[in-house]
Amino acid sequence: MKLTVRHQSAAALVAEDRLTDEEIARRMQIHRSTLAIWKQQPEFAALVSMHASRLSDQGLKPGIRGRDARAGKSMVRGQKLQTAIQLVAEQMLTDNEIVIRLQVKLRTLLALKQSPLFIRRVNEVRATIGVENFVQGQMERSKTRSPRRP
């Protein structure tokens, strides 16, 4: 296998362990299955090891760095999910507006909206919003009433 500049770049990204295989393939403008084939080639694996060793020498441990990157992505996804639940529950924005606001794909949002867990969470938030609106309405009505006379 003759290693090209594209192989070199892909090996460096694999060694960094910050991106998923799909993200690396997209960045390298190859199919994910092509990257999987490359990763099975001894020459490519040796190149990945060389890059990982270099990173390790610089004090960047791939496993810890990768875990931190994945944890950060997971946290962002969790925040987006919570925001999506809130926005869907409030029913103030269209699906397209939610997609733009959260920077997700429409099919991702539509798939979420079909999930039983997502539906349950939306209903819980709607119930909470309903209670909050009821309490707020009661407080506003009590402010407008005239005080009772003895």
Side-chain angles (χ1 to χ4, degrees):
M1 172 180 192
K2 182 180 182 320
L3 298 177
T4 65
V5 173
R6 188 178 277 183
H7 288 101
Q8 296 274 349
S9 300
L13 291 173
V14 170
E16 284 178 4
D17 197 25
R18 290 181 185 232
L19 303 173
T20 65
D21 285 356
E22 187 172 328
E23 291 168 328
I24 293 170
R26 191 176 318 120
R27 188 174 284 186
M28 301 310 305
Q29 298 179 340
I30 59 174
H31 195 273
R32 198 175 98 224
S33 62
T34 301
L35 180 61
I37 291 168
W38 287 1
K39 287 171 79 173
Q40 293 174 359
Q41 300 298 318
E43 298 90 352
F44 187 81
L47 192 56
V48 170
S49 294
M50 183 189 75
H51 283 292
S53 176
R54 181 181 48 82
L55 291 171
S56 183
D57 290 345
Q58 294 173 354
L60 304 172
K61 302 230 186 265
I64 294 171
R65 189 181 61 255
R67 183 199 64 212
D68 291 346
R70 287 187 296 276
K73 286 181 183 179
S74 179
M75 189 168 61
V76 168
R77 281 193 299 270
Q79 290 169 342
K80 282 186 178 183
L81 181 59
Q82 282 300 112
T83 304
I85 289 168
Q86 188 72 32
L87 293 173
V88 169
E90 291 173 355
Q91 297 177 324
M92 296 181 139
L93 299 175
T94 66
D95 286 352
N96 287 331
E97 291 168 328
I98 292 171
V99 164
I100 291 167
R101 185 178 223 176
L102 296 179
Q103 298 177 348
V104 296
K105 294 179 180 169
L106 180 59
R107 70 175 183 222
T108 302
L109 178 63
L110 296 176
L112 275 175
K113 289 175 75 175
Q114 298 299 314
S115 160
L117 179 61
F118 187 86
I119 293 167
R120 191 175 81 228
R121 288 291 298 131
V122 166
N123 290 333
E124 289 170 0
V125 170
R126 283 183 180 154
T128 304
I129 291 170
V131 169
E132 289 171 0
N133 290 343
F134 176 77
V135 170
Q136 185 177 5
Q138 291 291 353
M139 290 174 60
E140 288 174 6
R141 281 193 287 281
S142 69
K143 288 179 187 176
T144 58
R145 290 184 187 152
S146 59
R148 292 186 181 181
R149 296 188 183 180

